[in-house]
C-alpha cells in the first residue's frame, strides 16, 4: 500500500489520501492536529499530533515557590482553573501534614462543583454546535454567566481564579454571597431541562451521535481514559465516591455517578449532562452546610518562606474532564524538585487512534467533539 498526499487536482482513485485536520485553532478545542489516512470517505488511520501549545509548565514549577506554582497550575485546562489549582495545594498540604479549617474544606468543595458545572456547560453547548445546532450554545452561555458572576465575586477572576492557597483559601466569602450563589444555582437548575428537551430530544442530534465512535471498556483501561468519557463506556469509577477527598465523604447521599454502557457519542453526552445535574445538587448541599457552620478561619497562617519537607507524594483528584494526578518531589527547599502533572485530556485523546479508524469523515467531527478535551490540558 502506498500513501500519497494529494493536492488540488490530484487523482485519488487508487491511492490513500492523507488529510490534516488542523492545526488551526477553531478546528478543535485548542491547537490540535489530526493526521488522517482516508480511503474515500472512510478513515483508515488516525494520528493525533500534539505539542503546538506546549509551554513547559512542569519545568517552570521547579523555578517557582509553592505559592507561585498555583498560578501556573490553574491554566492548563482553562475551563477547570479552580480544580487545577486545588490538586496542587492538596499535594503540598499532604507533604506538610497540614489540616485545613472545616470552613475551607466545604467552600473548596462548593467552588469545585460550581467549576465543574461551568466546564460541562461549555461542552453541552459547544458539542451540538459542532454538529450544526447553534441554539444550545446561547443557552449554555446564559447559564454560565449566572455562575460566573458568583465565582468572579468571590475570587476576582472569571477564568483563572487563583483563590486556593496552601492551608485553605485566599479569604473568607463576601457578605451575602451564599444567598447570591444559592440564587444562581437555583436559576441554573430551573433551566437545565433545555438540554434534555432541546438537545437529547432532537432526532438529528441522536442520529448523528448514536452508535458513533464507540469506545469499548477494554480500550478505556488500556489507555487510562477517565472521567465522563470512561463512565460512558461502563467503567464505574469516580474518585469523589471511591477515594473521597475534601467533603465528598459526607456527601454520599447526594453524589450520584452517571454511568452508561453504550460507549458512543450519545452516551458521553448523556453522562456529561447527568453529571451537571448532580453537581448542581452537590453545590446546593454544600451551601446548606456552609450556612450551618459557625464563623471561623478559612486558612492557616503560613511562614514567610514556605518549605515542604524532603520526600514525595502523589495526589489525584476527580477533575471535570477526568483524573488529574500530581506527583510532588521535594528536597526540602522552597521550590518543588519535581512536580509531574497527569492531566485527564492527555490520556483521553490518545484513544482517538483506536476510535476513528473505520468511521466516516463527517462522523470524525462528532467523535472528536464528544471526547470533551482541552488542548492546553494535553500540551501543558
Amino acid at each position: 500500500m502506498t500513501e500519497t498526499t494529494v493536492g488540488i487536482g490530484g487523482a485519488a482513485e487508487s491511492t490513500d489520501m492523507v488529510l490534516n485536520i488542523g492545526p488551526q485553532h477553531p478546528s478543535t478545542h485548542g491547537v490540535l492536529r489530526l493526521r488522517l489516512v482516508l480511503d474515500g470517505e472512510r478513515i483508515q488511520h488516525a494520528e493525533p499530533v500534539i505539542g503546538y501549545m506546549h509551554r513547559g509548565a512542569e519545568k517552570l514549577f521547579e523555578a517557582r515557590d509553592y505559592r507561585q506554582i498555583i498560578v501556573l497550575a490553574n491554566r492548563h485546562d482553562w475551563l477547570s482553573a479552580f480544580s487545577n489549582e486545588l490538586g496542587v495545594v492538596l499535594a503540598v498540604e499532604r507533604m506538610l501534614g497540614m489540616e485545613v479549617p472545616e470552613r475551607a474544606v466545604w467552600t473548596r468543595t462548593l467552588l469545585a462543583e460550581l467549576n465543574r458545572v461551568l466546564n460541562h456547560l461549555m461542552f453541552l453547548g459547544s458539542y451540538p454546535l459542532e454538529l450544526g445546532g447553534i441554539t444550545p450554545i446561547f443557552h449554555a452561555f446564559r447559564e454560565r454567566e449566572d455562575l460566573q458572576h458568583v465565582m468572579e465575586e468571590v475570587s476576582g477572576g472569571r477564568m483563572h481564579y487563583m483563590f486556593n492557597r496552601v492551608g485553605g483559601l485566599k479569604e473568607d466569602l463576601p457578605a451575602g454571597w451564599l444567598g447570591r450563589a444559592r440564587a444562581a444555582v437555583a436559576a441554573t437548575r430551573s433551566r437545565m431541562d433545555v438540554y434534555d428537551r432541546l438537545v437529547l430530544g432532537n432526532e438529528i442530534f441522536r442520529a448523528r451521535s448514536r452508535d458513533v465512535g464507540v469506545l469499548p471498556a477494554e480500550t478505556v483501561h488500556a489507555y487510562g481514559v477517565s472521567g465522563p468519557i470512561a463512565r460512558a463506556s461502563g467503567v464505574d469509577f469516580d474518585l469523589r465516591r471511591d477515594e473521597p477527598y475534601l467533603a465528598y465523604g459526607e456527601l454520599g447521599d447526594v453524589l450520584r455517578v452517571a454511568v452508561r454502557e453504550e460507549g458512543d457519542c450519545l452516551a458521553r453526552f448523556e453522562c456529561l449532562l447527568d453529571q451537571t445535574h448532580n453537581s448542581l445538587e452537590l453545590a446546593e448541599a454544600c451551601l446548606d452546610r456552609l450556612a450551618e457552620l459557625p464563623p471561623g478561619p478559612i486558612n492557616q497562617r503560613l511562614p514567610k518562606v514556605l518549605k515542604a519537607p524532603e520526600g514525595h507524594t502523589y495526589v489525584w483528584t476527580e477533575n471535570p474532564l477526568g483524573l488529574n494526578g500530581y506527583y510532588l518531589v521535594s528536597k526540602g527547599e522552597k521550590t518543588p524538585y519535581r512536580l509531574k502533572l497527569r492531566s485527564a485530556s492527555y490520556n483521553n485523546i490518545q484513544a482517538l487512534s483506536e476510535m476513528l479508524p473505520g468511521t466516516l469523515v463527517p462522523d470524525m467531527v462528532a467523535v472528536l467533539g464528544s471526547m470533551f478535551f482541552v488542548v492546553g490540558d494535553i500540551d501543558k
Side-chain angles (χ1 to χ4, degrees):
M1 182 181 72
T2 59
E3 294 184 8
T4 307
T5 303
V6 180
I8 297 175
E13 292 82 2
S14 59
T15 60
D16 292 333
M17 184 173 84
V18 177
L19 177 67
N20 283 291
I21 306 296
Q24 71 271 21
H25 190 282
S27 66
T28 50
H29 300 274
V31 189
L32 175 74
R33 172 184 164 211
L34 280 179
R35 183 179 180 275
L36 306 179
V37 178
L38 306 180
D39 179 9
E41 281 286 297
R42 198 165 294 280
I43 298 171
Q44 298 290 91
H45 177 75
E47 178 190 0
V49 183
I50 65 172
Y52 294 95
M53 295 183 63
H54 184 62
R55 302 186 304 279
E58 291 180 352
K59 194 64 182 174
L60 291 174
F61 289 152
E62 300 171 15
R64 306 291 189 275
D65 67 34
Y66 287 107
R67 292 180 174 91
Q68 295 170 327
I69 59 175
I70 301 172
V71 76
L72 294 169
N74 74 6
R75 279 163 162 72
H76 57 90
D77 174 0
W78 45 79
L79 296 177
S80 311
F82 185 87
S83 301
N84 297 339
E85 62 191 48
L86 178 63
V88 171
V89 297
L90 289 175
V92 179
E93 287 164 4
R94 179 177 291 181
M95 288 285 285
L96 293 167
M98 178 183 292
E99 296 236 354
V100 302
E102 185 180 15
R103 191 170 182 80
V105 171
W106 281 97
T107 306
R108 281 176 171 179
T109 309
L110 166 63
L111 296 177
E113 288 306 313
L114 291 179
N115 193 197
R116 193 182 309 275
V117 175
L118 285 168
N119 175 291
H120 291 356
L121 281 172
M122 177 62 79
F123 288 107
L124 291 174
S126 67
Y127 184 50
L129 179 66
E130 290 162 6
L131 298 183
I134 194 172
T135 308
I137 194 75
F138 297 125
H139 289 280
F141 269 87
R142 181 184 64 181
E143 323 311 347
R144 278 175 54 85
E145 279 303 308
D146 288 345
L147 297 176
Q148 282 284 179
H149 284 318
V150 295
M151 292 291 282
E152 184 176 5
E153 182 186 357
V154 75
S155 68
R158 283 182 61 84
M159 284 183 68
H160 306 301
Y161 305 109
M162 271 302 294
F163 197 54
N164 276 290
R165 296 292 187 273
V166 176
L169 296 166
K170 176 187 173 187
E171 57 195 8
D172 208 343
L173 304 173
W177 183 86
L178 289 178
R180 292 187 288 276
R182 190 182 296 277
V185 170
T188 304
R189 285 193 70 183
S190 69
R191 297 194 288 255
M192 282 301 294
D193 66 324
V194 166
Y195 304 97
D196 297 305
R197 295 183 290 105
L198 183 67
V199 182
L200 288 181
N202 186 294
E203 61 184 26
I204 299 175
F205 176 83
R206 299 184 76 87
R208 289 291 310 275
S209 57
R210 186 192 283 120
D211 298 327
V212 173
V214 176
L215 178 63
E218 302 77 43
T219 307
V220 168
H221 292 302
Y223 282 85
V225 176
S226 59
I229 299 171
R231 292 190 283 272
S233 296
V235 180
D236 187 3
F237 182 70
D238 190 312
L239 278 179
R240 297 174 298 168
R241 178 198 63 196
D242 301 324
E243 284 193 25
Y245 58 100
L246 295 181
Y248 290 114
E250 300 181 47
L251 292 168
D253 55 337
V254 184
L255 176 63
R256 297 190 317 274
V257 179
V259 181
R260 296 289 188 279
E261 299 295 332
E262 296 83 0
D264 57 10
C265 296
L266 181 60
R268 289 189 280 275
F269 186 87
E270 289 176 342
C271 273
L272 203 72
L273 181 55
D274 286 353
Q275 194 164 285
T276 308
H277 282 291
N278 187 234
S279 288
L280 290 167
E281 295 169 11
L282 288 167
E284 284 195 338
C286 291
L287 286 166
D288 292 340
R289 182 57 190 269
L290 280 168
E292 298 169 356
L293 288 178
I298 203 161
N299 51 36
Q300 298 271 30
R301 287 187 64 86
L302 299 176
K304 193 168 184 179
V305 177
L306 181 64
K307 294 183 179 181
E310 189 170 348
H312 60 91
T313 189
Y314 182 77
V315 169
W316 56 346
T317 59
E318 187 70 43
N319 262 42
L321 299 181
L323 299 180
N324 266 27
Y326 303 84
Y327 179 57
L328 173 63
V329 182
S330 171
K331 294 291 187 182
E333 302 296 330
K334 66 178 182 178
T335 62
Y337 177 76
R338 182 82 168 93
L339 180 54
K340 175 71 177 74
L341 172 62
R342 186 263 191 220
S343 56
S345 297
Y346 183 81
N347 284 66
N348 292 355
I349 205 67
Q350 295 180 79
L352 283 173
S353 59
E354 300 279 349
M355 299 168 65
L356 288 177
T359 63
L360 298 172
V361 172
D363 289 337
M364 179 271 301
V365 179
V367 175
L368 194 63
S370 74
M371 294 305 284
F372 309 133
F373 62 90
V374 170
V375 176
D377 202 37
I378 301 169
D379 287 343
K380 301 189 284 291

